Amino acid sequence: MFIKYISIIIYCYHLHNVFSQSVTTQLKDNQILTSTLPVNGYNYYYFSSSSSMNQMFTKRDQPEIYLSVATCSQPIPPVNYHETIPSLNIYISTSNALPGSNDDILANNSVNGLMNWTSDGQTSEIWIAVGSPNLTASWNGNWTYEIGVSTSQFMHLLFVNNEEIDNDIPYITLDDTDRNHALFLSSPFQGSAPNSTILMTHNLPKELSYSLCAARLHKSTHYNVNTTVTYRGPTHGPKQQFMISNLTSNTAYTAYMLQTRGALIGMTTPIYLKTKMEANCRIIYDLQFCDQVAYSVPVNPDALLTSSIQDLVNQYDQQALEKFKPFDIALSQFNCETTLYSLVRNCTDCYRDYKTWLCAVTIPRCTDSSMNAGLHQGTDNVAAAPALRDISVNASRNPWIDESIQPGEWTELLPCIDLCYHVVQSCPPFLNFYCPEPDLRSIQYGYWQNGTASVNGTVYHFNINNPTCNRVGISPGLLTISHTSTLYCSFILYIVPLFTLLLLL
């Protein structure tokens, strides 16, 4: 009788395995599969870590299982649907059964199209169900997704963009855009330059913004990427800069840096940007003297038809260098080697900070005038806003721009007030460098702010990729003065440096 019961159990177990294998797909270690899921449907998968190992593990030393699911596309909602499209449901079972019981794990940590789950290291087998959320029949199309499993790492790599952390996680920041270009700067790298590029997407749903396969499906067409190495930026070490060309004016894009890690390609978190409308703003970078300048400057678009962008770069850089020479002569009169004028600053700091300030005021940052409609610093009840100044014809604060460049009307994103204060803090008192009093400060400088603002139903996000003032490569951590701050020194007066021949403030 006992043998009969054992035979029945073995037979039932065999039937169960036959049934499971007929409705599930077995996943292999370090593999990514692509699949389609209809509305209100389910797909089933199975993975065993022991099948990919050459040795047996006890329950305590099982390798961790890394599971990731990236949604590539989603069905089209009904016309009257205006909510966020729900994400796929991922159910995981660690028992010998298809998901569907009350003991299943619902991996509901899906964020913007990407779900990650890790085992506790005490199981060697998982059963997975990928399920569609409950939807009405009026939705059109299917979901498509990628599912990957590994015992060593997630198969869908997402690099969280955080430049404040000094580690091995890559990131990019947006320097600026013009009508047809966008310029990005990568995190520092060591050794040889990594295998990286920029992926530009258009009309990518935000629900899928962390999914590489979704981003590739929405890749923009016909743009070009020029990758070079630079040392500019607030952190030391070489970085990659990416000049994107052949973009469409006044168009919203979502950008990613893709970087190869072993056999996988990872993506940074998205950067949202919009190209400019104005034709008299153009990105310049790689200047020899003002080497931290990498943004749009006022230009005459007709002049660029007969001259190169490098001619424009040289013009701006050379005039800044000429205006720097009087300061260089004045500072050379001070014995920097033996005379101490500060316990925390020296002549090297003075030279650097004055150069940064001078480049900011002689090479102003150009932006769209449309941004000025109801959104500027000083607006009531706005958490963050750009410091903008509309410039009329022949009214640039640097007369050389009107004489030599002739941009016509344009809009300036004002320099950050911290650039001026840094010079006061770093330079010897005999140079007589001062910053403006409050009544003039607001029309000559801006303040660094983070936050959002809403104007006429449009939400603006301000951060390092969409600044509220021109920082000229300075780390945002050093830009601490806001328009609500009371930390203003009473000795700061509006007096231009005696050695500056041209009124630039």
Side-chain angles (χ1 to χ4, degrees):
M1 181 65 66
F2 177 78
I3 296 176
K4 180 179 180 181
Y5 286 148
I6 293 295
S7 300
I8 293 174
I9 292 174
I10 294 175
Y11 177 75
C12 292
Y13 181 79
H14 174 72
L15 286 179
H16 174 79
N17 283 342
V18 171
F19 174 76
S20 298
Q21 291 174 6
S22 67
V23 296
T24 64
T25 300
Q26 182 162 0
L27 300 174
K28 297 180 180 180
D29 200 2
N30 298 315
Q31 180 188 43
I32 294 178
L33 293 181
T34 302
S35 187
T36 300
L37 183 67
V39 173
N40 299 324
Y42 280 86
N43 289 338
Y44 298 98
Y45 301 90
Y46 165 77
F47 175 75
S48 173
S49 61
S50 59
S51 64
S52 60
M53 300 295 172
N54 294 324
Q55 56 181 321
M56 297 299 294
F57 290 89
T58 65
K59 185 175 181 180
R60 290 186 176 182
D61 61 3
Q62 292 290 341
E64 291 185 335
I65 300 173
Y66 297 88
L67 171 68
S68 58
V69 178
T71 304
C72 305
S73 64
Q74 52 197 7
I76 300 174
V79 177
N80 59 349
Y81 188 90
H82 302 292
E83 301 177 12
T84 300
I85 297 178
S87 61
L88 293 172
N89 294 321
I90 314 298
Y91 299 93
I92 302 169
S93 173
T94 58
S95 62
N96 189 16
L98 290 175
S101 67
N102 295 329
D103 296 331
D104 294 342
I105 302 170
L106 175 61
N108 58 354
N109 65 339
S110 178
V111 178
N112 296 334
L114 180 63
M115 187 285 302
N116 290 326
W117 178 86
T118 309
S119 70
D120 57 6
Q122 296 183 3
T123 182
S124 63
E125 295 178 307
I126 58 173
W127 286 259
I128 308 153
V130 179
S132 163
N134 292 326
L135 301 174
T136 63
S138 57
W139 290 64
N140 295 319
N142 301 316
W143 268 276
T144 61
Y145 63 90
E146 292 181 347
I147 182 169
V149 67
S150 172
T151 55
S152 57
Q153 62 180 337
F154 287 116
M155 298 300 290
H156 295 89
L157 298 181
L158 178 68
F159 307 128
V160 178
N161 190 336
N162 189 345
E163 68 153 4
E164 302 301 326
I165 299 176
D166 184 16
N167 54 26
D168 194 37
I169 301 178
Y171 63 84
I172 54 170
T173 53
L174 173 66
D175 289 307
D176 203 0
T177 67
D178 56 32
R179 279 171 55 90
N180 306 114
H181 303 83
L183 183 64
F184 297 91
L185 185 67
S186 79
S187 51
F189 63 85
Q190 296 181 351
S192 58
N195 183 8
S196 306
T197 190
I198 297 294
L199 173 63
M200 302 293 294
T201 70
H202 183 55
N203 290 332
L204 174 65
K206 286 194 175 182
E207 297 98 331
L208 307 182
S209 59
Y210 282 9
S211 168
L212 178 55
C213 60
R216 283 172 166 162
L217 289 177
H218 291 82
K219 179 181 178 180
S220 301
T221 57
H222 307 306
Y223 70 88
N224 301 311
V225 182
N226 180 33
T227 305
T228 54
V229 174
T230 182
Y231 285 82
R232 66 177 175 84
T235 55
H236 299 292
K239 310 168 191 68
Q240 291 177 303
Q241 60 182 359
F242 307 92
M243 183 60 167
I244 316 301
S245 59
N246 207 27
L247 300 176
T248 304
S249 64
N250 194 31
T251 301
Y253 293 92
T254 304
Y256 302 87
M257 181 175 71
L258 307 185
Q259 189 172 110
T260 302
R261 290 292 181 94
L264 301 177
I265 297 178
M267 64 187 298
T268 60
T269 50
I271 291 182
Y272 303 100
L273 64 139
K274 188 176 183 179
T275 50
K276 292 182 172 58
M277 293 191 304
E278 307 295 342
N280 55 355
C281 291
R282 182 65 188 271
I283 294 177
I284 62 173
Y285 64 107
D286 282 351
L287 285 67
Q288 289 190 356
F289 176 65
C290 290
D291 51 355
Q292 297 301 314
V293 169
Y295 48 78
S296 286
V297 298
V299 301
N300 184 333
D302 294 333
L304 289 179
L305 298 177
T306 58
S307 62
S308 68
I309 189 66
Q310 189 59 46
D311 292 336
L312 181 70
V313 169
N314 295 337
Q315 281 183 281
Y316 269 109
D317 202 34
Q318 187 61 35
Q319 62 91 29
L321 178 60
E322 290 297 323
K323 291 179 174 60
F324 183 81
K325 289 180 179 179
F327 164 83
D328 197 15
I329 295 173
L331 187 60
S332 66
Q333 307 304 311
F334 185 80
N335 191 342
C336 295
E337 300 297 329
T338 60
T339 305
L340 183 69
Y341 64 87
S342 171
L343 296 177
V344 294
R345 304 294 175 90
N346 55 39
C347 289
T348 300
D349 299 316
C350 176
Y351 185 99
R352 177 201 63 218
D353 291 340
Y354 183 83
K355 174 184 173 181
T356 301
W357 170 84
L358 181 70
C359 291
V361 296
T362 60
I363 309 179
R365 182 162 176 166
C366 179
T367 190
D368 274 342
S369 60
S370 60
M371 293 181 60
N372 203 14
L375 183 63
H376 55 84
Q377 289 190 3
T379 303
D380 294 335
N381 301 321
V382 175
L388 301 175
R389 182 174 180 176
D390 289 329
I391 309 298
S392 304
V393 177
N394 295 327
S396 300
R397 290 190 293 163
N398 182 354
W400 173 87
I401 293 177
D402 297 324
E403 297 168 0
S404 302
I405 305 299
Q406 300 177 350
E409 294 182 353
W410 60 285
T411 299
E412 180 181 1
L413 181 66
L414 297 174
C416 298
I417 183 63
D418 306 76
L419 304 185
C420 185
Y421 290 153
H422 288 171
V423 181
V424 175
Q425 296 165 355
S426 296
C427 290
F430 85 90
L431 291 177
N432 293 325
F433 187 98
Y434 300 98
C435 298
E437 291 182 323
D439 58 338
L440 294 174
R441 185 187 305 136
S442 61
I443 62 174
Q444 297 168 349
Y445 293 95
Y447 306 95
W448 185 263
Q449 299 173 333
N450 291 316
T452 61
S454 179
V455 177
N456 298 325
T458 301
V459 179
Y460 299 88
H461 299 271
F462 295 100
N463 49 39
I464 191 172
N465 299 311
N466 188 22
T468 59
C469 60
N470 185 15
R471 64 186 178 96
V472 198
I474 296 296
S475 171
L478 300 177
L479 305 175
T480 58
I481 306 297
S482 70
H483 71 285
T484 59
S485 175
T486 59
L487 300 178
Y488 297 125
C489 301
S490 59
F491 63 86
I492 295 179
L493 302 174
Y494 180 57
I495 305 176
V496 296
L498 298 180
F499 47 82
T500 302
L501 302 180
L502 178 64
L503 182 62
L504 295 173
L505 289 175

